[in-house]
Amino acid sequence: MSDNNLIIESSSQIKQFDSTSSVMWAVSLCLLPAGVWGVWVFGLKVLGVLFASILSAVVAEAAMAFLLKKNTLKDGSAFLTGLLIGFNMPPSIPYYIPVVASVFAIVVVKWTFGGLGGNFMNPALAGRVFVFFSWTGPMTKWTMPKTLETFDAITNATPLGHLKSGLLEYTGIVDRPARFLAETGYPHTKMDSGITTWLNTNMGLDLSHGYIDMFLGNIPGSLGEVSVALLLLGSIYLFIRKIITWEIPVSYIASFGILIWIFGGTRYSGGSYFNGDVLFHLFTGGLILGALYMATDIVTSPTTRKGMIIFGIGAGILTFLIRIYGSFPEGVSLAIILMNIFVPMIEQYTQPKRFGVQLKREGK
Amino acid sequence: MKGLKTFNRGGVHPPGRKYLSENKPIKNAVISDLSVIALSQHLGSPSESIVNPGDIVREGMLIGKSTGFISGNIHSPVPGTVKEISDIYLPNGMTSKAIVIEMEGEFDRLGKETIETNWEHLSGKELIEIINSNGIVGLGGATFPANVKFTLPRGKKAEYLVINGVECEPYLTADHRLMLEKADQIIEGIKIIASIIKPEKLAIGIEINKENAIKIIKEAALRADLPLDVVSLKVKYPQGDEKQLLKAVTGREVPSGALPMEIACVVSNVGTVNAIYEAVVLGKPLIERVITVSGGAIKNPQNLKVRIGTPIKSLIEECGGFTEEPAKVVVGGPMMGFAIYDLDTPVTKGTSGILALTSKEVRGASQTACVSCGRCIAACPMGLNPTTLFKYIDHTEYENAESIGLMDCKECGSCGYVCLARIPLIQGMRLGKRMLRTKKVKA
């Protein structure tokens, strides 16, 4: 028909830079610093966990794509799912658990609904929740980062875990979680002491020890969630590239933070309303990883701006409820996948306002 | 940038790349030996050929007659002999009959002195007849017959005449150059239209990336003592769509499914205004237009005054040919234009540009399933949900698509531009609309 190689397709004839695969790879790239931190503080074994979760996710994707005669490996979504599952694993996890999580995520959560784009639930989080309830023991066994000097037995708990279990036995008066941690001998690094003391003396603050460790990632936790600083750093690039937009992270973090501030303090013997420890809760339990990288999953979050804000607020409320009143210390994973289920309903009520339609009704 | 007007919903910011040609003055293109004049180059029913193979035609002679209320007259762009009447593909992939003319003999207008006629004593009806007989159609892209547009429905009054100098499509600079070089003619053309439709207010919308044009048009209006409101607009695509332009300039929203007349507005493109000036004052039919030949693969991008019917190939050659093998050759702008494979496709009245784009400019990627990122929804200037529309159309649920506003889609390409999954959204919209129309015709 033609003697040239000109591409014929429908308009628009030019496209913006990003594509499905470029977005997936960019998110993976931005998670890299936090992953490297995990490997550094929890040891090389962690690399094995990441390797197991990524490889099994990619192999599961390849197998499903082969069975269904599709070509989806290049889109990078399976790699990202595997990476996120790895990030949500305790460092000392036996390798078969992330493998099960990845295969469950790819085969059951994603491909039974038609593969990328069809799934209604975040595959990585659903995979994590699946293995969490299947192997609760290993999934809640934590390792101290090597930056933290360990000197007694209680220390193998995450700050949130320590808080939840420790409070049951504690009889003294306590108003804020970080203070409780500091008073019950939760360890902190020398760097934390140094910076906290400096801030308290020079900036007129009254910080307890531990915040700096939580921010930098010198606490036990899932291997990719601990370094809030590096997760934030990676997200800057995603915000600049507009791969993630402000709606979900901001509404999630803001609604969660406000609720913690109002009600977070009421759970302690010496606490009161409007005295919650917002920073403590933002820096722990994978909240930043969840709000920036998992709640913002384009497939399983709403498509309109209004919908995204409702979704974020819902996730913030649920995380708050689970974390403060529930029996689980963290709550981020459950909150996000619960909100994933609400997405179709949110979408129904947040369709865009059509141009010229209001006027037509008024005219009638 | 504060204080500039724009439309309020959706829109995208593709790279403009107008610098490739915006400083190149309009140049007369070499006239091709062979002209192919499509009989369907306007909105509405095709014209009817009134010449036969072997006939001798003169420059500017009527060769295709308007066949209905919404149709257009077509004139020979060159003197010569009618070689044949053949079937051709138009840039949009549709077929059309076309008159092929081999150039020979003397030009009646080209190189001759032009005589300006005084039009001020003419009535609106007479002016509309001149516009009709000279085959003027909207040159902004829709090619809607201008005489129909300016014939206001009985009992309707035009409050606003808004001239469209936006040229929001990337790369295209033809309207920009026209405003710079033909400001006085455009002002005169606005006066002609104003005397037909008698609007209360006159405005022209120009995007701020054409600051020199804003200044020159302002000065020309002042010289001619025309109360023209020159509105500077933010750069945002698709600002040049008449609904978005009216929203930006007047604050009014054209109701869904209605024409601008519904809100007492008439919109006309600067190119059309210039053509009306030439028809009324110089007695010249629409046989040539200004187009931009540009793109990363064009050696020497230019703005050319081109005879209708010129094969695209000869214009590309005139601009130095290709610097590298283009990924696409596009007729029109990159957002709404059509990719073509046959470079013998001729220029029609609606051709605003010819672009040879490199693969780097096109930025293709492999198509994936929709990932529900919502970018198309944020981009749609009509407040539609393109991804849901596409899914309905894909499942042949055309009525459902219609119920959420498919017919409001103007195929501006904003959704397709931002789609991560590279889904051919506009193709889907076109298919859905066509299916709905054919169903309605059958019913």
Side-chain angles (χ1 to χ4, degrees), chain A residues 166-343:
Chain A
L167 266 181
L168 296 174
E169 299 146 18
Y170 192 70
T171 48
I173 291 181
V174 61
D175 62 343
R176 292 167 81 87
R179 198 158 292 156
F180 171 74
L181 254 53
E183 276 168 23
T184 51
Y186 200 81
H188 51 79
T189 60
K190 285 208 181 87
M191 194 206 264
D192 178 87
S193 323
I195 296 177
T196 308
T197 312
W198 186 86
L199 284 174
N200 286 346
T201 46
N202 292 317
M203 311 292 286
L205 298 175
D206 181 24
L207 283 179
S208 306
H209 287 297
Y211 287 111
I212 304 299
D213 277 345
M214 291 174 216
F215 182 66
L216 295 178
N218 294 319
I219 51 169
S222 296
L223 64 92
E225 76 180 21
V226 289
S227 180
V228 172
L230 292 173
L231 288 169
L232 287 172
L233 184 77
S235 75
I236 292 172
Y237 177 73
L238 295 180
F239 278 115
I240 292 172
R241 284 269 305 274
K242 294 196 171 122
I243 287 172
I244 50 180
T245 49
W246 63 269
E247 289 89 353
I248 292 174
V250 170
S251 60
Y252 187 170
I253 292 171
S255 61
F256 175 75
I258 289 169
L259 287 170
I260 289 288
W261 175 62
I262 299 176
F263 299 106
T266 60
R267 301 290 281 168
Y268 311 110
S269 50
S272 59
Y273 286 103
F274 304 104
N275 191 29
D277 195 337
V278 178
L279 271 190
F280 173 80
H281 281 284
L282 290 185
F283 290 171
T284 54
L287 188 100
I288 295 298
L289 177 66
L292 288 175
Y293 294 90
M294 321 242 336
T296 54
D297 172 35
I298 50 184
V299 177
T300 53
S301 61
T303 50
T304 62
R305 175 174 287 185
K306 232 190 289 171
M308 289 178 194
I309 293 171
I310 294 170
F311 177 86
I313 293 173
I317 294 171
L318 286 175
T319 309
F320 158 77
L321 287 175
I322 295 168
R323 194 177 274 196
I324 302 300
Y325 298 103
S327 59
F328 299 113
E330 288 101 359
V332 173
S333 318
L334 283 173
I336 295 173
I337 62 172
L338 277 171
M339 285 315 292
N340 285 162
I341 297 170
F342 280 110
V343 167

Side-chain angles (χ1 to χ4, degrees), chain B residues 392 396-405 435-436 439:
Chain B
Y392 279 141
T396 70
E397 297 172 28
Y398 306 115
E399 280 76 18
N400 284 340
E402 189 182 19
S403 72
I404 59 166
M435 296 308 282
L436 280 170
K439 268 189 184 171

Side-chain angles (χ1 to χ4, degrees), chain A residues 7 9 13 15 20 298 351 356, chain B residues 253 327-328 334 363 372 385:
Chain A
I7 303 168
E9 61 184 350
Q13 305 298 346
K15 311 283 176 185
T20 303
I298 50 184
Q351 286 301 299
Chain B
E253 255 179 50
K328 275 181 185 174
R363 297 197 284 217
S372 308
N385 184 332

Side-chain angles (χ1 to χ4, degrees), chain A residues 49-92:
Chain A
V49 176
L50 287 172
F51 187 72
S53 64
I54 292 170
L55 186 72
S56 50
V58 171
V59 168
E61 177 84 12
M64 290 308 291
F66 176 76
L67 278 177
L68 296 160
K69 297 188 178 59
K70 290 189 175 175
N71 179 17
T72 58
L73 264 189
K74 267 192 304 184
D75 66 31
S77 65
F79 183 92
L80 179 59
T81 299
L83 184 66
L84 283 171
I85 285 174
F87 266 45
N88 278 294
M89 291 291 144
S92 60

Side-chain angles (χ1 to χ4, degrees), chain A residues 4-5 7-16 18-20 117 298-299 303 351 353-356 359, chain B residues 9 253 256 325 327-328 334 337 341 362-363 368 370-372 375 382 385 408 417-418 420 422 426 430:
Chain A
N4 55 45
N5 302 320
I7 303 168
I8 303 298
E9 61 184 350
S10 200
S11 55
S12 68
Q13 305 298 346
I14 53 172
K15 311 283 176 185
Q16 47 120 40
D18 275 315
S19 63
T20 303
I298 50 184
V299 177
T303 50
Q351 286 301 299
K353 186 181 167 290
R354 278 169 59 192
F355 185 99
L359 290 172
Chain B
R9 200 168 310 153
E253 255 179 50
S256 164
E325 202 190 344
K328 275 181 185 174
Y341 68 87
V362 171
R363 297 197 284 217
T368 69
C370 171
V371 288
S372 308
R375 293 186 185 206
M382 298 307 286
N385 184 332
D408 282 354
Y417 173 75
V418 297
L420 289 182
R422 298 294 191 269
I426 298 298
R430 288 195 183 117

